[in-house]
Amino acid sequence: MRLVDFHCHIDQYPEFKKLVGAIDRAGVYTLAVTTTPDDWRRNLDACGSSKYVRVAIGLHPEMVESHLDQLPILERHLGETRYVGEIGIDGGPRSYGSLGIQTETFSRIVAACAQSGGKVLSIHSFRAVKRVLDALERHFPPGSGVAVLHWFTGSLSEAKRAVSLGCYFSVNERMALSPNGAKLLAVIPPDRLLTETDGPFTKAGGRPSSPLDVHLAVKAIASILARPEDEIATTVLGNLRTVVGVGAPSTGAAPEHPPEQYR
Ligand code: MN
């Protein structure tokens, strides 16, 4: 069974080129998110020939204030990539002071993505769900592309609002096993579910997790939803097909296997 890690910081591992090789051997569909636009090129260089790793251009909300000068780099390269992330808004104590500039920047990026069309976004919304959803509602109307909320920690009503706006959710093991995460899984429609590790910022067996550990997310979701693991994995793979098919040039036939449109 092919698994999906739709949010991982591949460039944060000491030997990340080796990790790309291991991901390819394991066959885990992986979205390598970046935290600054400058990091995008070196990620592409390392992952460019990978069958399974795709690179997103990002500007992490915690980097917005210090790296705002790189926003034009993101905007300039937007036409060269389908994947954008990690982007978003963070309302935690360290970032609270920059909420205004973060909201402005996020709105500008999603509007540019909507304009460009067919983009798949991996979005951080920690303690800022309302701001994120308001910006998506205003600047990323239905048909603009796909918004994936990564490690969502909002309320049930916020989750329902996100669902109504067409959002997907990438869920990691820690989220699934948290009390709020378990409640959220009950309201996230199966056809909006993706998996992630957010490695190396989560742990697997006491060490930093990697895409090779994403089966733990599948296992946790399966246990919370009381469904078989292979059913969850099949659902997530089907959802990946849908997500990567959005905005892709039509071949006139439904994609049989993700790699055809996973580019
Ligand atoms: Mn992340």
Side-chain angles (χ1 to χ4, degrees):
M1 175 59 67
R2 293 288 180 231
L3 301 182
V4 177
D5 183 352
F6 213 67
H7 185 107
C8 182
H9 297 263
I10 295 285
D11 62 1
Q12 305 285 317
Y13 298 82
E15 298 198 69
F16 90 93
K17 290 184 187 180
K18 275 192 185 167
L19 178 59
V20 173
I23 292 167
D24 275 345
R25 285 191 296 280
V28 179
Y29 293 106
T30 300
L31 185 65
V33 295
T34 55
T35 52
T36 68
D38 260 354
D39 293 331
W40 178 68
R41 182 64 63 188
R42 98 187 146 88
N43 273 259
L44 268 191
D45 289 346
C47 306
S49 62
S50 168
K51 184 176 170 189
Y52 289 95
V53 182
R54 293 297 174 265
V55 180
I57 190 165
L59 179 54
H60 193 286
E62 289 179 42
M63 309 291 269
V64 163
E65 197 171 25
S66 56
H67 290 72
L68 197 58
D69 59 329
Q70 290 193 26
L71 181 57
I73 300 173
L74 186 150
E75 292 175 326
R76 199 179 320 134
H77 292 292
L78 210 49
E80 299 165 47
T81 178
R82 295 197 59 206
Y83 302 95
V84 180
E86 181 166 357
I87 55 169
I89 306 175
D90 186 292
R94 272 184 303 169
S95 314
Y96 197 79
S98 63
L99 267 177
I101 187 73
Q102 287 187 62
T103 305
E104 206 175 295
T105 304
F106 178 69
S107 299
R108 186 163 152 181
I109 294 171
V110 296
C113 289
Q115 173 88 30
S116 185
K119 301 289 185 240
V120 182
L121 283 46
S122 184
I123 300 171
H124 174 119
S125 57
F126 182 66
R127 294 197 189 169
V129 176
K130 184 179 183 306
R131 283 171 181 263
V132 163
L133 297 183
D134 285 351
L136 288 173
E137 191 168 57
R138 193 157 164 207
H139 301 288
F140 202 72
S144 298
V146 180
V148 181
L149 299 175
H150 125 76
W151 198 341
F152 184 81
T153 54
S155 67
L156 291 186
S157 63
E158 287 170 330
K160 287 175 188 164
R161 182 179 170 212
V163 170
S164 74
L165 291 173
C167 295
Y168 284 70
F169 298 80
S170 59
V171 176
N172 61 52
E173 182 194 27
R174 212 170 123 193
M175 174 182 165
L177 295 180
S178 73
N180 190 49
K183 287 182 205 154
L184 290 168
L185 279 170
V187 302
I188 296 172
D191 64 356
R192 300 291 181 82
L193 183 66
L194 293 167
T195 43
E196 64 161 56
T197 60
D198 200 15
F201 303 117
T202 55
K203 293 258 158 80
R207 50 160 181 83
S209 65
S210 83
L212 307 179
D213 301 306
V214 79
H215 61 94
L216 296 172
V218 175
K219 186 179 173 193
I221 294 166
S223 85
I224 297 300
L225 296 179
R227 305 299 310 170
E229 286 177 42
D230 58 353
E231 180 186 307
I232 300 298
T234 302
T235 297
V236 168
L237 191 61
N239 294 342
L240 177 69
R241 281 196 185 103
T242 305
V243 165
V244 302
V246 170
S250 175
T251 55
E256 287 294 316
H257 190 56
E260 289 177 14
Q261 303 207 6
Y262 182 69
R263 46 163 186 73

